[in-house]
Amino acid sequence: MGIRTLFFPIVAIGLGTLNGCAAPATPSAFSDRQLMYTPNDSDRSADLERLLTAELAASRGQFETATREYLSHGERMTTPAMAERATRLAGQTNDELLLRQTASLWAEVAPANPLPRHILAELAGSNRDWPEALTLLLTLPPDERPTLAGFIDNAIHHGADAKGFIPPLQRHIAAHPTDQEARLALILADIHADRLDVARQRYQQERPESIRSTGVNYWLVGQQLWLADRQPDRAIASARAGLAVHPNDYRLTVALIQARLAAGEPERTRPLTAQLLARTDDDTSLRLSLARLHLGYKAPEQAMALLSPLLDTDQPEGLLLAASAATQQNNPSQALVYYERIPEGSAFMAAQRQAVALLLDINQPDDAVAWLQAQRDRHPHYLAELAASQVALLDRLDAPGQGDQLLNDLIDNHPDHNDDLLYLRAMRRLNQQKTGPALDDLRLLVERHPDQPHLLNAYGYTLADLTDRSREAIALLEKAHRLAPDDPAIQDSLGWAYTRAGRYREGILLLKQAYNDMPDEELAAHLAEALWLDRHRPQALAVINDALERFEEHPTLDDLLSRHPSLRPEQGIFSTQIHE
């Protein structure tokens, strides 16, 4: 039970429902009645053959093949049952694009079913496309969607700009003024957007007894409002008032713990944390989350009390947090002991980065270099990752020549890691604007692995973007595309290569597909430039508009606008309009 946020995050209701759904389809999903729309017997026979092929593939665990067989029917003959079956099969694969395609089709043929829109919202959120996720959630009936406040809190926790949520919520509330949950979500967005006066005014118009369902979010929003307004006493009062109504809701207990910490009362959190852990059978993830919360308010003693039961087991995240607590207690040597104990696994590289940062903070750069060297010797499986960290550290210490030499020596002496190190050196050389040597490294990798699509993509894109060898680049990228036709990065690279070669229409087709499947500011810049070069200026401006609103950072777009000032929007055209 983690507590990344006080609210329920957007739940995996769509993806979770799909787990374990590989059972054979029910007969009703594929009855003759549902196939009667086919125009003739031969078409109907072919459709039945595809369905049988799909189900046979599913029975063998070939879920991607099965899903694509269903998609091959197209809109002409897809029923809601078939679209649902295809989506469930796609949920068994690791292909996010395939899941998005099937869920979109399901949503189109079954507009009254909320589940496909749940899935699409989940996918949009996982890709940090928060406006699209919110838009999808707002199309759902209030009793069919995850809590909006939870979604916004989770999105902001992952870096979303709160201001971007305000206009769609305002529009939704104008059309649905009785949607009380949306009103609370808007207040939360106002709080995170530093619009406290507006948030206060809106909050004072709400009443806990009028809130739909449990009303817990009313008290949680109030606690967040008063914390942001630097009134911890009122935050405490809000959490306690909520607990008086909902004494068993763990979120309100966490809210009270947070408010006590904000009030500078860490000693008063001990009974609350003990009570919470007792009610949850000493849940490890909750214990870790509570320790992290205390560290966020500079309460390392209480954090260590929470972590101490985990330290004898070498629990990786517990050791990471213990190292942070030791650092807050001005005990760097003990922190390094904890970092040293973290085993190989998901937390290992995070521990190395934090140990290096600690050594730099206490002005021991030579020890930081030595630390990474020692870790490379002790953990040969992480040689490439640790080498990348050591090279980056040497660059930071104004010793790039030592970094270059280190990579060269490692490439010569570690054949088992040669490919990873060679790729690392190629990317480093590109960053150093050493295009020729970088291409030499990439060419060698492609010669070793001629059917590896991502290496073909890296080599081909570099040729297309930085040289005039467009024919060679296109050949490489077309091969990569044949090997991985649904990879948006490869679609973008090939589309960009076509564009650079003057084959605008072919390029635009691929770039549109790539941007639709993997929204990204660099892909948007490529698509906008291709449209502009093909004399589709309004469409190029529309892409730029979408990207500037969607992405907080957009260096590739900025470069495009500096090179083509005529594409630069007029001042204020993309500013978000927020009304009180």
Side-chain angles (χ1 to χ4, degrees):
M1 181 193 296
I3 53 167
R4 292 180 305 170
T5 67
L6 293 179
F7 304 84
F8 284 128
I10 179 171
V11 294
I13 185 170
L15 302 180
T17 306
L18 298 176
N19 289 338
C21 295
T26 56
S28 63
F30 311 105
S31 66
D32 284 350
R33 178 181 59 80
Q34 290 177 317
L35 293 173
M36 288 301 291
Y37 51 80
T38 52
N40 53 55
D41 288 343
S42 62
D43 285 344
R44 187 163 175 265
S45 177
D47 290 335
L48 285 168
E49 182 178 352
R50 291 193 191 99
L51 291 175
L52 289 172
T53 301
E55 287 306 310
L56 182 60
S59 70
R60 294 171 175 168
Q62 299 169 343
F63 302 116
E64 182 176 348
T65 300
T67 305
R68 294 191 186 282
E69 284 294 334
Y70 276 107
L71 285 176
S72 70
H73 289 79
E75 297 178 10
R76 177 179 61 83
M77 58 85 57
T78 300
T79 66
M82 292 175 180
E84 178 180 358
R85 177 62 173 159
T87 306
R88 292 181 180 278
L89 290 170
Q92 299 296 312
T93 73
N94 293 320
D95 192 330
E96 184 179 302
L97 174 59
L98 195 61
L99 182 56
R100 185 183 299 111
Q101 289 174 333
T102 55
S104 297
L105 181 61
W106 187 12
E108 183 175 346
V109 300
N113 190 330
L115 183 54
R117 283 175 286 166
H118 272 294
I119 297 169
L120 292 170
E122 175 87 6
L123 290 170
S126 69
N127 288 321
R128 305 293 191 263
D129 190 354
W130 307 115
E132 175 66 14
L134 178 61
T135 298
L136 287 161
L137 291 179
L138 288 172
T139 66
L140 298 170
D143 57 350
E144 295 280 358
R145 69 191 178 206
T147 170
L148 295 176
F151 165 75
I152 288 175
D153 200 43
N154 187 53
I156 291 169
H157 176 79
H158 286 92
D161 182 1
K163 292 180 181 177
F165 295 125
I166 295 174
L169 283 168
Q170 288 176 327
R171 290 192 294 269
H172 175 80
I173 291 168
H176 305 87
T178 61
D179 191 339
Q180 296 150 322
E181 187 186 20
R183 296 203 305 266
L184 282 177
L186 178 57
I187 295 169
L188 188 64
D190 284 329
I191 293 168
H192 286 288
D194 294 325
R195 290 159 38 91
L196 296 183
D197 290 341
V198 177
R200 260 188 249 104
Q201 182 179 359
R202 295 193 204 278
Y203 188 70
Q204 289 167 357
Q205 294 172 355
E206 300 291 341
R207 293 292 181 269
E209 62 272 10
S210 70
I211 300 300
R212 183 181 60 82
S213 187
T214 65
V216 170
N217 282 349
Y218 171 83
W219 307 107
L220 295 177
V221 169
Q223 183 256 19
Q224 292 286 285
L225 171 62
W226 304 126
L227 284 183
D229 206 27
R230 301 181 185 278
Q231 299 187 56
D233 290 344
R234 297 188 72 174
I236 291 171
S238 183
R240 293 182 66 182
L243 282 168
V245 182
H246 309 282
N248 296 318
D249 194 291
Y250 84 93
R251 294 169 296 169
L252 287 165
T253 303
V254 172
L256 182 55
I257 292 170
Q258 184 183 30
R260 291 288 187 198
L261 290 169
E265 302 173 351
E267 69 283 350
R268 299 189 66 177
T269 67
R270 284 182 183 268
L272 294 169
T273 57
Q275 176 191 38
L276 196 56
L277 290 167
R279 283 166 43 196
T280 57
D281 295 326
D282 199 5
D283 184 85
T284 297
S285 62
L286 177 60
R287 183 177 286 276
L288 291 168
S289 295
L290 289 169
R292 192 179 303 109
L293 180 63
H294 282 76
L295 289 174
Y297 283 92
K298 300 295 188 290
E301 291 79 9
Q302 286 73 20
M304 283 302 299
L306 287 161
L307 294 168
S308 59
L310 305 176
L311 298 183
D312 291 338
T313 64
D314 280 353
Q315 208 279 346
E317 190 172 356
L319 289 169
L320 275 176
L321 293 173
S324 297
T327 301
Q328 288 189 12
Q329 292 172 314
N330 295 316
N331 191 349
S333 59
Q334 183 59 52
L336 291 171
V337 169
Y338 290 131
Y339 287 132
E340 185 80 35
R341 288 175 54 190
I342 293 174
E344 294 183 0
S346 59
F348 178 76
M349 284 306 301
Q352 310 316 310
R353 289 189 291 271
Q354 291 179 29
V356 167
L358 172 60
L359 289 165
L360 292 177
D361 285 343
I362 61 177
N363 199 28
Q364 295 182 15
D366 292 340
D367 289 342
V369 175
W371 173 278
L372 290 173
Q373 175 69 50
Q375 295 303 310
R376 280 200 292 111
D377 294 339
R378 295 189 190 106
H379 302 277
H381 293 305
Y382 283 82
L383 185 143
E385 293 94 329
L386 290 165
S389 294
Q390 190 170 352
V391 168
L393 175 59
L394 290 169
D395 287 348
R396 181 175 176 178
L397 299 176
D398 293 326
Q402 293 182 38
D404 293 338
Q405 188 60 50
L406 172 65
L407 266 184
N408 293 337
D409 291 344
L410 291 173
I411 288 170
D412 292 339
N413 297 317
H414 292 275
D416 291 345
H417 297 273
N418 195 268
D419 289 345
D420 290 337
L421 293 167
L422 203 60
Y423 187 81
L424 175 62
R425 187 173 70 179
M427 296 301 102
R428 176 174 174 77
R429 285 173 164 177
L430 285 175
N431 288 334
Q432 295 172 332
Q433 298 183 336
K434 298 177 181 178
T435 304
L439 288 171
D440 291 340
D441 287 342
L442 291 171
R443 176 183 52 77
L444 180 57
L445 286 168
V446 168
E447 289 174 354
R448 292 178 183 174
H449 307 281
D451 295 320
Q452 217 294 335
H454 295 105
L455 288 177
L456 290 165
N457 181 54
Y459 187 29
Y461 178 79
T462 304
L463 286 172
D465 197 48
L466 299 178
T467 77
D468 58 1
R469 295 156 60 182
S470 61
R471 183 175 299 178
E472 184 181 356
I474 288 172
L476 290 162
L477 292 168
E478 286 179 338
K479 181 178 180 180
H481 188 243
R482 288 194 298 272
L483 292 167
D486 295 324
D487 189 309
I490 293 174
Q491 292 167 352
D492 170 69
S493 296
L494 181 56
W496 184 238
Y498 282 151
T499 300
R500 297 269 292 174
R503 297 164 62 175
Y504 300 132
R505 293 188 180 180
E506 294 170 278
I508 289 169
L509 185 64
L510 281 166
L511 292 169
K512 282 183 176 179
Q513 186 176 356
Y515 185 56
N516 181 63
D517 293 338
M518 189 178 73
D520 174 88
E521 70 90 23
E522 183 177 1
L523 273 63
H526 287 167
L527 175 56
E529 186 162 358
L531 289 165
W532 180 79
L533 290 170
D534 202 32
R535 302 180 184 276
H536 297 294
R537 190 171 184 274
Q539 293 183 41
L541 288 171
V543 171
I544 293 171
N545 181 8
D546 175 74
L548 290 178
E549 289 185 350
R550 190 181 286 198
F551 308 111
E552 292 184 38
E553 297 183 359
H554 32 73
T556 315
L557 275 171
D558 293 339
D559 175 69
L560 170 65
L561 297 176
S562 69
R563 289 185 289 109
H564 301 292
S566 63
L567 281 173
R568 187 178 298 279
E570 296 178 2
Q571 183 67 30
I573 191 171
F574 299 124
S575 62
T576 302
Q577 297 298 316
I578 298 176
H579 304 287
E580 301 304 325

